[in-house]
Amino acid sequence: MIALIIVDMIKGNLPFFNEDQLAIIPNIKKVAEKVRESGNLVVYANDSYTENDWLFRFMKKHALRGTEEVEVIDELKPEKGDIVLEKKRFSAFFRTDLDLILREYGVEKVAIAGVNTHVCVLATALDAISNNFEAIILKDCCASNRRELHNFIVENYKLIGLEVMSSDEFLKEISQSL
């Protein structure tokens, strides 16, 4: 089984999205629909911070727990059977139930989409590998606040065991595994 992990595509981040980040929304939507149709799992991993989180010393206060800012954007609204997970740090695995949830579903491979490629997407992908999951970064379903940061990650991190592929390549792989 495969899981698509959609990272930080939430209402609290939307006002800060640049053109590249907005452009990935239709790609993520297409992949999520196909993942569901194929009987695989869609997981949303959403920033969810407390009011006094120390990270706000380095970034603008956003995605406050208990507000609509931690909800998935309307264009990618979760459907029945999807998992929605709140996270307090960059990786969707760090101190969450993600590892347990994926194992309960029999997931062996994760594909990661969302923002920002160089922070939360990368941290989630590296922790996926550390937890013995195969990890794929979907390069046209991820973006960063600066294009050169995204490009650096998708060009260089495949050297350490991460797969990097387009959404079309990934969907072809899914259809071949049915």
Side-chain angles (χ1 to χ4, degrees):
M1 168 146 320
I2 297 171
L4 171 65
I5 302 174
I6 301 171
V7 178
D8 295 335
M9 297 300 290
I10 57 173
K11 293 176 182 178
N13 287 340
L14 192 57
F16 307 110
F17 281 1
N18 64 27
E19 183 179 300
D20 290 344
Q21 292 164 321
L22 291 171
I24 65 173
I25 294 170
N27 296 341
I28 295 172
K29 184 177 175 117
K30 176 181 75 172
V31 170
E33 289 169 357
K34 296 294 185 186
V35 165
R36 287 184 197 103
E37 287 172 15
S38 68
N40 287 291
L41 184 64
V42 175
V43 176
Y44 294 87
N46 302 342
D47 280 341
S48 178
Y49 301 113
T50 54
E51 180 75 29
N52 295 319
D53 196 302
W54 72 271
L55 286 175
F56 293 141
R57 288 187 242 161
F58 310 102
M59 62 185 181
K60 184 175 171 128
K61 195 175 285 191
H62 71 290
L64 294 176
R65 186 167 288 173
T67 70
E68 85 169 17
E69 288 187 345
V70 301
E71 295 174 6
V72 176
I73 61 173
D74 293 336
E75 297 89 340
L76 299 173
K77 189 174 181 178
E79 295 186 11
K80 184 178 180 177
D82 293 348
I83 304 291
V84 179
L85 179 75
E86 291 187 358
K87 64 183 186 67
K88 193 166 165 54
R89 290 295 175 256
F90 304 137
S91 171
F93 285 91
F94 184 75
R95 295 193 179 178
T96 70
D97 292 337
L98 183 56
D99 179 61
L100 179 62
I101 290 166
L102 296 177
R103 293 190 195 290
E104 286 175 348
Y105 281 86
V107 171
E108 296 177 358
K109 182 182 284 193
V110 297
I112 301 134
V115 295
N116 277 310
T117 312
H118 67 290
V119 183
C120 296
V121 168
L122 178 60
T124 298
L126 293 174
D127 277 357
I129 291 171
S130 296
N131 283 284
N132 291 324
F133 294 99
E134 293 178 55
I136 301 167
I137 292 179
L138 299 175
K139 63 184 175 183
D140 59 339
C141 293
C142 299
S144 290
N145 57 344
R146 294 194 339 243
R147 186 175 292 166
E148 63 270 15
L149 293 172
H150 169 80
N151 290 340
F152 178 83
I153 298 304
V154 299
E155 291 303 317
N156 291 289
Y157 273 82
K158 55 187 164 189
L159 302 174
I160 61 158
L162 284 175
E163 284 186 71
V164 176
M165 63 177 66
S166 71
S167 57
D168 287 339
E169 292 168 324
F170 176 68
L171 293 176
K172 184 177 179 183
E173 184 176 298
I174 287 178
S175 67
Q176 291 174 346
S177 67
L178 294 178

